[in-house]
Amino acid sequence: MAEADIALIGLAVMGQNLILNMNDHGFVVCAYNRTVEKVDKFLAKEAKGTKVIGAKSLKEMVSKLKKPRRVMLLVKAGSAVDAFIDQLIPLLEDGDIIIDGGNSQYTDSQRRAKSLEEKKILFVGSGVSGGEDGARYGPSLMPGGSEKAWPHIKTIFQGISAKVNGEPCCDWVGADGAGHYVKMVHNGIEYGDMQLICEAYHLMRDALGMSEDEMSGVFGEWNKGELDSFLIEITQNILAYKDTDGTPLVRKIRDAAGQKGTGKWTAISSLDLGMPVTLIGESVFARCLSSLKDERVTASKSLKGPSTTKYEGDRKEMVEHIRQALYASKIISYAQGFMLLREAAKEYNWTLNYGSIALMWRGGCIIRSVFLGNIKEAFDKNPGLTNLLLDDFFKDAIHRSQASWRKVCAMAVTLGIPTPCFSTALAFYDGYRSGSLPANLIQAQRDYFGAHTYELLSKPAQFIHTNWTGHGGSVSSSTYTA
Ligand code: NBP
């Protein structure tokens, strides 16, 4: 009997919790998993006493679905998604919907949307953020793909998503891979936010000599103001957490960061699209450098830095400067993230609503923060805003914090404590606000060695080659780019 509103394939942490969330909101879910025994186990344990039903085969699962059939995948990204899609196609009819809620690459979602639409099956690639807790009690959901699917999934998606002031952190993002692209940029920004917090921690620990309890207190204070966010909150808790011997657990954790790839994909996309998303790029490289732990330990024995890493001034004042540096750098990171979204929208023909994206990230997800509410307001005020930095709220905030930001970067450089994201954010800010950069010299160098031509300030869009040495030719290059 067709009784289920939606099927969910993939009974690992995300799938199980999303099913229970859907059940709480009154939807009947049919659960399925590649290793079929997990279905019975789930029904007997976590889903006991709920309206969740199960299936032992994809055929049985499909037979239990109301039409148009909605099938959501929460399996490992990559070939597992394609394998399930291939098995589902012969079982589905025109207008049925396949939703991929995994962390798929947006290029895969573009390909899947195209090939499924050719078969008259609707495809949705949806970013899902918030981890286990989010999936269970309200994730941020970023669906994109075949727009015709949206009216059929909207009630379920907006029903189970996180809410901020009653508004769902879920809306239609755009065509084909747009949902997964926005999720990718979310994850890239998450990398940046985490690295910025780590730099603040590093400075407080090594330059100011603060204890974990003191730092936990500082993050607790910061969480009451403009930096109020999930990541600051968990940092406060992590720093306060004691191991069984009473010492802070964080002190014992090996300083070699892992990564699954979404930060790297964001950086790659920014390079492909020619957008200076420098802060996310640096945050990915900072993780790479951290993972060279053994090499760093060896180098630390022979490469010297400044004679002291201790800051001798007023500690309390410096903590406030660090807070301001973090805030200013965070503004730059989000400004860069939205620059990337704007360029991607142009490249891939997506109509993105930036205020709505800010709202999707405002709750439920890992980067959720009060700050995203300010970003939403900026885009609501001016949907055509070219850069967040030009919005009055953010412009004033940067102006207020930049003296502190410069002090912190200068201190870090003087004491030899690496702050790649604070520093790159400041360099970007100074570059972005410069009407004149030294790229005139680059153009001259390129023309000198490769006849690449240049434009004159007085005659833009006219390309000129100079015979700089007197013995070069006067023919310019049209193919060689360096
Ligand atoms: P996993 O990413 O660990 O995937 C486990 C599921 O994938 C199981 O159902 C497993 O089936 C299935 N699977 C695997 Br593994 N290989 C398969 C294959 N070759 N063919 C078919 N099925 C296969 O689970 P998760 O952590 O719940 O994440 C699910 C998706 O959500 C992933 O794409 C993940 O990146 C994304 N995501 C995760 C989080 C998070 O916090 N964990 C947050 C946001 C998004 P089996 O039981 O038979 O092995």
Side-chain angles (χ1 to χ4, degrees):
M1 197 183 72
E3 53 187 323
D5 297 299
I6 187 165
L8 201 144
I9 301 177
L11 295 181
V13 59
M14 294 301 283
Q16 287 199 10
N17 282 297
L18 267 186
I19 292 176
L20 297 174
N21 184 355
M22 288 174 182
N23 177 76
D24 286 351
H25 286 84
F27 302 107
V28 177
V29 189
C30 181
Y32 180 74
N33 194 68
R34 175 183 64 166
T35 311
V36 183
E37 302 85 76
K38 290 189 187 169
V39 177
D40 283 338
K41 275 196 199 140
F42 176 59
L43 292 180
K45 206 170 157 217
E46 292 84 357
K48 194 169 176 209
T50 68
K51 287 184 293 175
V52 179
I53 57 174
K56 296 235 166 1
S57 69
L58 286 175
K59 196 168 171 210
E60 184 193 348
M61 181 196 84
V62 167
S63 75
K64 290 184 170 175
L65 288 173
K66 293 178 192 163
K67 293 182 186 177
R69 301 180 183 92
R70 291 165 283 221
V71 179
M72 183 159 185
L73 299 168
L74 267 155
V75 297
K76 194 171 162 210
S79 58
V81 176
D82 286 314
F84 270 121
I85 290 177
D86 289 345
Q87 293 171 64
L88 283 165
I89 289 170
L91 303 173
L92 298 178
E93 291 172 3
D94 290 6
D96 286 346
I97 302 160
I98 297 178
I99 307 157
D100 171 22
N103 260 344
S104 295
Q105 295 216 34
Y106 71 98
T107 44
D108 282 339
S109 296
Q110 288 176 315
R111 168 178 59 77
R112 288 169 185 146
K114 188 165 180 282
S115 94
L116 283 169
E117 279 173 8
E118 280 163 8
K119 297 179 178 69
K120 304 231 169 9
I121 290 172
L122 304 176
F123 174 79
V124 175
S126 179
V128 177
S129 178
E132 184 177 352
D133 248 33
R136 181 67 186 86
Y137 300 108
S140 159
L141 295 172
M142 297 151 252
S146 318
E147 195 160 1
K148 278 190 193 155
W150 182 228
H152 301 291
I153 63 167
K154 186 175 174 180
T155 320
I156 301 179
F157 268 51
Q158 294 196 332
I160 64 165
S161 77
K163 314 277 180 309
V164 173
N165 303 326
E167 285 191 86
C169 296
C170 167
D171 205 351
W172 188 249
V173 178
D176 54 75
H180 274 131
Y181 193 90
V182 167
K183 170 63 170 36
M184 177 192 80
V185 174
H186 162 283
N187 283 27
I189 289 177
E190 176 185 313
Y191 273 56
D193 278 357
M194 290 168 75
Q195 176 64 24
L196 288 173
I197 291 173
C198 287
E199 291 176 17
Y201 157 72
H202 197 175
L203 290 171
M204 286 193 273
R205 188 189 68 184
D206 290 3
L208 307 187
M210 291 169 67
S211 70
E212 283 78 1
D213 281 338
E214 284 176 304
M215 290 186 278
S216 173
V218 166
F219 281 105
E221 279 307 309
W222 290 1
N223 205 36
K224 293 180 189 155
E226 51 201 1
L227 285 174
D228 179 347
S229 61
F230 171 70
L231 285 169
I232 295 278
E233 181 192 325
I234 67 165
T235 305
Q236 173 192 0
N237 298 340
I238 289 167
L239 288 165
Y241 192 92
K242 304 287 186 298
D243 200 0
T244 43
D245 62 3
T247 58
L249 177 61
V250 69
R251 212 185 279 171
K252 299 181 180 177
I253 296 176
R254 192 166 184 263
D255 52 326
Q259 49 182 320
K260 278 194 170 170
T262 38
K264 181 181 83 177
W265 298 346
T266 312
I268 290 173
S269 175
S270 71
L271 288 169
D272 283 343
L273 295 176
M275 279 293 112
V277 186
T278 58
L279 195 142
I280 295 175
E282 283 293 352
S283 69
V284 176
F285 286 131
R287 289 196 191 192
C288 299
L289 180 59
S290 81
S291 71
L292 303 177
K293 171 74 175 171
D294 295 340
E295 218 173 307
R296 287 189 291 109
V297 169
T298 307
S300 71
K301 291 176 187 140
S302 62
L303 298 178
K304 292 194 171 45
S307 52
T308 178
T309 60
K310 295 285 169 255
Y311 176 69
E312 301 298 348
D314 186 312
R315 255 178 29 162
K316 203 161 169 235
E317 255 175 35
M318 185 46 78
V319 167
E320 174 55 15
H321 291 319
I322 295 171
R323 188 190 70 81
Q324 303 253 11
L326 203 167
Y327 187 55
S329 304
K330 187 171 162 119
I331 294 173
I332 298 296
S333 181
Y334 284 67
Q336 292 182 343
F338 278 93
M339 285 167 74
L340 180 60
L341 287 176
R342 194 174 288 281
E343 196 59 23
K346 229 190 283 168
E347 175 75 13
Y348 302 121
N349 255 327
W350 296 327
T351 309
L352 298 182
N353 178 333
Y354 303 102
S356 152
I357 291 169
L359 177 62
M360 280 183 250
W361 294 347
R362 169 72 186 83
C365 62
I366 305 298
I367 63 170
R368 61 182 180 262
S369 64
V370 164
F371 179 80
L372 276 157
N374 306 132
I375 296 180
K376 176 166 174 3
E377 278 164 28
F379 283 114
D380 282 352
K381 228 176 4 182
N382 178 7
L385 186 66
T386 48
N387 194 305
L388 267 187
L389 294 174
L390 301 177
D391 171 74
D392 285 343
F393 177 89
F394 291 106
K395 188 168 43 181
D396 292 348
I398 287 264
H399 287 165
R400 268 198 315 276
S401 51
Q402 73 166 303
S404 293
W405 191 14
R406 290 183 194 282
K407 262 190 201 113
V408 170
C409 290
M411 173 188 74
V413 169
T414 307
L415 299 180
I417 298 174
T419 51
C421 285
F422 283 173
S423 308
T424 197
L426 186 53
F428 173 87
Y429 178 67
D430 285 334
Y432 191 72
R433 62 177 193 84
S434 292
S436 168
L437 286 171
N440 48 333
L441 181 55
I442 289 181
Q443 287 300 81
Q445 290 165 336
R446 293 176 72 242
D447 192 54
Y448 188 110
F449 67 68
H452 293 302
T453 74
Y454 56 86
E455 298 159 277
L456 287 173
L457 283 167
S458 57
K459 291 182 188 157
Q462 285 185 38
F463 291 87
I464 300 161
H465 168 58
T466 291
N467 183 349
W468 296 87
T469 56
H471 53 73
S474 56
V475 180
S476 61
S477 165
S478 61
T479 52
Y480 173 72
T481 47

